[in-house]
Amino acid sequence: MTLDLDNLREGWDFEAKLATGRDGKGALPKSMWETYSAMANTHGGLILLGVKERADGSLEVKGLDNVEKVERDLWNCLANREKVSCDLLDRDRVEQHEIEGKTLLLLRIPRADRRQRPVYINNNPLRGTYFRTHEGDRHATEGRVRRMFSDASERPPDSEI
């Protein structure tokens, strides 16, 4: 798939992250996990690492010098239940793209199944559950988190004879 950066804008289902890290070579931003939770709990979406959003909403390609490290850190965090409650990604949902001679990492976050929700971070469902509103990640209220847990535990109506 070719990325059309000219037409991508942050919103309900797309988030751009610079992801350069302290050394400028690439790192997973801490705020990425809030976006992962929010998209998984809402409608899914795309997270693009290695781009900067300009004031006019357009995207500037910065690239990830050490994309292999960033991707390795991604998989390690997804496998760590202390970091994130649910790994929704597989190899087909993580793509490296070369644009303007720079490498970007695209994450295709699916909407979590009701049995997987809430998807939360830092081992704390009440403080680490997010949902997506326009271009922002918002904390879920305690009531919303409890409803998601309740929905996850209910048996579907057709599961009994």
Side-chain angles (χ1 to χ4, degrees), residues 4-151:
D4 183 7
L5 295 185
D6 292 332
N7 291 318
L8 282 175
R9 295 290 182 269
E10 287 195 354
W12 290 94
D13 59 357
F14 177 73
E15 179 77 19
K17 301 279 187 189
L18 186 56
T20 55
R22 289 185 180 166
D23 64 3
K25 297 191 184 290
L28 287 175
K30 291 178 183 172
S31 66
M32 190 208 78
W33 295 107
E34 295 169 3
T35 303
Y36 175 88
S37 167
M39 287 181 171
N41 289 324
T42 313
H43 300 290
L46 303 174
I47 300 174
L48 185 60
L49 304 176
V51 294
K52 178 181 177 184
E53 183 185 27
R54 295 182 181 120
D56 67 358
S58 65
L59 302 175
E60 179 182 350
V61 176
K62 293 293 191 175
L64 303 170
D65 289 346
N66 195 346
V67 71
E68 297 303 326
K69 176 193 174 297
V70 173
E71 191 169 346
R72 183 174 48 253
D73 290 347
L74 170 73
W75 294 113
N76 287 338
C77 287
L78 285 168
N80 179 356
R81 292 299 155 254
E82 297 290 316
K83 183 61 189 168
V84 63
S85 65
C86 185
D87 177 1
L88 298 170
L89 301 182
D90 57 31
R91 184 65 198 120
D92 294 336
R93 293 185 177 278
V94 178
E95 305 168 5
Q96 290 185 20
H97 289 268
E98 191 86 15
I99 297 180
E100 299 173 10
K102 298 175 183 173
T103 306
L104 308 177
L105 197 61
L106 178 69
L107 312 178
R108 296 178 177 281
I109 313 300
R111 182 174 196 250
D113 180 89
R114 71 172 177 78
R115 293 175 302 254
Q116 296 168 311
R117 288 190 304 260
V119 174
Y120 54 91
I121 61 173
N122 300 327
N123 209 25
N124 188 333
L126 294 180
R127 296 186 49 80
T129 300
Y130 293 82
F131 64 97
R132 190 87 177 158
T133 304
H134 193 256
E135 60 186 40
D137 305 320
R138 314 279 186 242
H139 272 104
T141 63
E142 182 176 339
R144 189 173 192 162
V145 172
R146 293 194 188 288
R147 278 191 304 279
M148 283 190 259
F149 274 122
S150 176
D151 290 346

